[in-house]
Amino acid sequence: MKNVILLVVILSVGMGLYAQTNHPTLIVKGESKLFQQPDIVEISVNISTKTSEYETCLSKNLSDVDRLKKSLQLAKIKSLQIFDTGQRINEDRVYSSGRQVADGYRANYGIKLKLEAKPKIIHSCLEVLKSSDIELNYNANYGLSPELIKATEAKLILMAVKDAKIKAKVLAESAEVQIKSIQNINYGAAKSLFGAKQYMSEMRMDKAGYSGSQSFTNPDPIVLTDHVEIIYTLAE
């Protein structure tokens, strides 16, 4: 008798669960997009030095790097941070009479400059690089600070949820059904919060071919997207 009662209870619970999961539903994907102006920029600088002797090349390269750092520090550029990214030195070779021959050594030292993406600040930094007598090249990588990412993420979520609600209302009215409640919200499974960073480059070797800093001081906005999926239960 106890086994029979237990079986009845299990069947009742199972039927209840089955009934709950078989309500008609409406699945809607809410989407959002923002065009956010970057607030940070990283300028990667490569300082290149060539001499005939290995030790001389290494020493002069380090001296060039030190002089450039001092020039940047003397400029008192707001928010500027300087990071070393590494040094390498290789034997230079040139073609002569159809074959490669040794032509001294070339050392390359990398530093990264991190600063606020404000035109005046970027311009001050580029002026130091432009006026330097050191052989160098550089490129800029624009992005968003952690604080701006957090604030932007909140906006994207609100916009995505609002978009889902609008779509659900239009669909329900068009299909002549009524929304009863939210059954489930799916978020973060396959979202794309951060757009590709803005890459812009500018080369200068011994002051030759310098074309100005307009592209660096006026970066394009970064496109950010997000989405949320909301499952609504419909009234029967």
Side-chain angles (χ1 to χ4, degrees):
M1 185 64 180
K2 287 183 179 179
N3 290 338
V4 173
I5 294 172
L6 180 60
L7 179 61
V8 171
V9 172
I10 292 173
L11 286 173
S12 299
V13 173
M15 290 175 67
L17 290 173
Y18 181 81
Q20 288 177 6
T21 58
N22 276 270
H23 286 303
T25 58
L26 173 62
I27 302 174
V28 180
K29 182 179 179 180
E31 299 174 307
S32 58
K33 179 186 287 188
L34 279 176
F35 294 87
Q36 180 63 56
Q37 198 68 25
D39 66 332
I40 58 172
V41 59
E42 291 182 351
I43 301 177
S44 298
V45 184
N46 180 68
I47 299 93
S48 186
T49 307
K50 181 180 178 179
T51 64
S52 58
E53 300 295 330
Y54 181 90
E55 291 296 336
T56 304
C57 184
L58 188 63
S59 177
K60 186 177 186 307
N61 187 238
L62 292 173
S63 176
D64 288 346
V65 172
D66 187 55
R67 285 197 296 121
L68 182 62
K69 286 182 177 179
K70 285 181 179 178
S71 296
L72 289 165
Q73 291 164 352
L74 286 172
K76 297 181 179 179
I77 301 166
K78 183 181 177 183
S79 76
L80 174 65
Q81 295 177 286
I82 304 175
F83 304 92
D84 296 288
T85 59
Q87 183 189 45
R88 67 182 184 278
I89 183 168
N90 301 100
E91 187 178 45
D92 243 13
R93 290 184 170 273
V94 296
Y95 277 97
S96 179
S97 301
R99 63 189 183 90
Q100 282 190 342
V101 295
D103 185 38
Y105 295 88
R106 180 172 292 278
N108 290 283
Y109 197 107
I111 62 174
K112 185 174 288 185
L113 313 177
K114 188 173 181 180
L115 54 156
E116 291 180 85
K118 294 181 179 180
K120 286 186 178 180
I121 294 176
I122 298 171
H123 181 73
S124 297
C125 183
L126 294 181
E127 280 298 307
V128 174
L129 299 178
K130 180 177 68 173
S131 61
S132 174
D133 61 352
I134 297 168
E135 185 178 350
L136 55 83
N137 61 73
Y138 48 89
N139 65 80
N141 173 18
Y142 289 91
L144 307 180
S145 64
E147 296 79 15
L148 186 55
I149 288 174
K150 188 174 181 181
T152 304
E153 183 178 20
K155 291 180 183 177
L156 285 168
I157 293 172
L158 288 172
M159 291 170 62
V161 171
K162 184 177 180 179
D163 182 57
K165 291 170 68 176
I166 292 171
K167 289 176 179 176
K169 182 180 178 181
V170 172
L171 286 168
E173 290 176 352
S174 300
E176 298 183 345
V177 295
Q178 289 187 340
I179 293 174
K180 183 179 180 181
S181 61
I182 293 177
Q183 185 183 96
N184 196 19
I185 298 176
N186 297 320
Y187 176 75
K191 67 171 183 171
S192 176
L193 175 60
F194 311 116
K197 286 187 176 181
Q198 179 86 13
Y199 287 92
M200 310 183 79
S201 63
E202 184 167 290
M203 306 293 288
R204 183 178 68 82
M205 302 295 285
D206 288 333
K207 297 188 178 180
Y210 182 76
S211 59
S213 59
Q214 186 70 16
S215 60
F216 280 79
T217 55
N218 293 282
D220 294 329
I222 296 174
V223 181
L224 306 172
T225 63
D226 207 352
H227 73 262
V228 61
E229 183 183 81
I230 301 179
I231 303 175
Y232 292 92
T233 300
L234 300 178
E236 295 185 75

